[in-house]
Amino acid sequence: MKKILSAAAVLPLFTWAQSAYAAQPTPWQTRFQPAATGIMEDVIWFEVYTLWFIIPITLLVMALLAWVMIRFRASANPTPSRTSHNTLIEVIWTVGPVVILLFLAIPSFQLLTAQYTPPEEPAITVKATGVQWSWEYEYQNDDNLSFSSFMLQESDRAAAGKEDVEQYPRLLAVDNELVVPVNTTVRVLVTASDVIHAFAMPAFGIKVDAVPGRLNETWFKADREGMYYGQCSELCGKDHAYMPIAIHVVSQDRYDAWRAEAQADLGNAYKNLTASAESREDTKLAAAGN
């Protein structure tokens, strides 16, 4: 049942994700962003699963309220019943909710456990530090690569090679994205240097508070390449709305090339990575047109 509901919920989103370069909010969006990880697919499935309980319960309660208001209004029922005890009804409204809560709690606990349990030892560990109002990233390995990520200013688009607003949307695009390889388990250590922030990436199904003096941990394993956007999700000051998160998921070869070049020249490494992404997107669109 889970697989059937998951496929039904994710299929149109997956189709959209194949044709789009970036997973980002859209105008009048009412659904989730396309899932880019197995965890987010499970989140979408669980949301659909809970609706099979929520909608019937809501309709039942509305119907009962309407029936009570009409059937037992003063004009239709001038002498109200003084019944104060009904064993059958009391058993039903006690056992029924308990059973429903069990059906909701079991998959909920399973999802929560999966969110905190990587399927394998993470190959990459990144420390993300929230700062008013940007993010600092530090790869936790021998070369110790670190950099800051600020929201991309409109005046800097041309120099960064990010003039396409559809791919690099206003208020979401950044100067330096967090770059990770596809199909790789990534551990993210989240903290803050000043006030409480929150590291959230909707397409990955992750959201964790960044608390000063504390390290919180999350993980993701993106299963398709692309640019993914999130934002700080904890009110953190006057520029809270201008603190986006961008994660660029690339192939292992492109990641290795970017990582090697970033050690010597971070700015040039990003320019080459952006140019490479543009070239791949043009090639994909040309192939689709043919």
Side-chain angles (χ1 to χ4, degrees):
M1 178 179 178
K2 175 178 178 179
K3 292 182 178 179
I4 295 175
L5 290 176
S6 178
V10 174
L11 182 58
L13 302 178
F14 179 80
T15 303
W16 181 90
Q18 291 298 309
S19 61
Y21 174 78
Q24 55 183 278
T26 58
W28 301 101
Q29 184 174 3
T30 58
R31 296 290 300 163
F32 294 110
Q33 289 185 25
T37 65
I39 288 294
M40 189 57 197
E41 290 178 355
D42 288 344
V43 170
I44 292 174
W45 172 84
F46 184 67
E47 188 254 356
V48 175
Y49 174 78
T50 57
L51 289 178
W52 285 99
F53 295 90
I54 294 172
I55 293 176
I57 291 173
T58 302
L59 294 177
L60 174 62
V61 172
M62 292 176 63
L64 289 175
L65 286 173
W67 180 65
V68 169
M69 287 187 293
I70 295 173
R71 172 65 181 81
F72 296 102
R73 66 188 189 278
S75 59
N77 190 53
T79 306
S81 170
R82 296 186 178 278
T83 301
S84 61
H85 181 75
N86 188 304
T87 302
L88 177 61
I89 292 178
E90 291 179 0
V91 170
I92 292 174
W93 75 39
T94 300
V95 175
V98 170
V99 173
I100 292 172
L101 288 175
L102 284 175
F103 274 97
L104 293 175
I106 292 174
S108 176
F109 291 151
Q110 291 174 336
L111 176 58
L112 186 63
T113 300
Q115 288 178 316
Y116 286 94
T117 310
E120 58 194 3
E121 182 63 24
I124 297 175
T125 298
V126 179
K127 182 180 179 182
T129 304
V131 184
Q132 291 179 313
W133 288 270
S134 64
W135 290 93
E136 294 181 353
Y137 298 113
E138 181 180 345
Y139 289 81
Q140 305 287 299
N141 50 22
D142 295 336
D143 52 25
N144 202 32
L145 175 63
S146 61
F147 54 87
S148 297
S149 179
F150 291 87
M151 186 183 74
L152 183 66
Q153 301 299 316
E154 295 301 301
S155 58
D156 296 333
R157 283 185 176 274
K162 300 177 179 179
E163 297 175 281
D164 189 342
V165 180
E166 291 187 1
Q167 295 183 2
Y168 305 100
R170 176 177 174 271
L171 303 183
L172 288 176
V174 301
D175 54 357
N176 300 324
E177 301 91 7
L178 177 62
V179 182
V180 298
V182 70
N183 294 320
T184 300
T185 302
V186 179
R187 177 193 288 119
V188 185
L189 305 177
V190 183
T191 187
S193 64
D194 36 44
V195 299
I196 298 178
H197 302 277
F199 189 88
M201 184 56 60
F204 293 175
I206 61 174
K207 180 178 180 182
V208 58
D209 282 343
V211 182
R214 177 182 300 177
L215 276 180
N216 288 329
E217 181 177 328
T218 187
W219 68 275
F220 64 85
K221 184 177 183 179
D223 54 23
R224 59 181 64 94
E225 297 179 39
M227 189 78 75
Y228 300 93
Y229 294 105
Q231 291 177 298
C232 174
S233 297
E234 184 74 36
L235 186 60
C236 58
K238 70 180 184 66
D239 285 341
H240 165 67
Y242 308 104
M243 193 174 168
I245 301 167
I247 299 180
H248 196 170
V249 181
V250 300
S251 66
Q252 185 66 52
D253 291 342
R254 293 172 67 206
Y255 171 77
D256 292 337
W258 170 84
R259 188 67 180 271
E261 188 174 9
Q263 294 298 322
D265 190 339
L266 183 65
N268 197 53
Y270 273 108
K271 288 183 179 179
N272 290 337
L273 184 64
T274 300
S276 173
E278 295 283 351
S279 175
R280 287 168 59 88
E281 184 68 11
D282 290 344
T283 302
K284 183 175 67 174
L285 293 176
N290 293 332

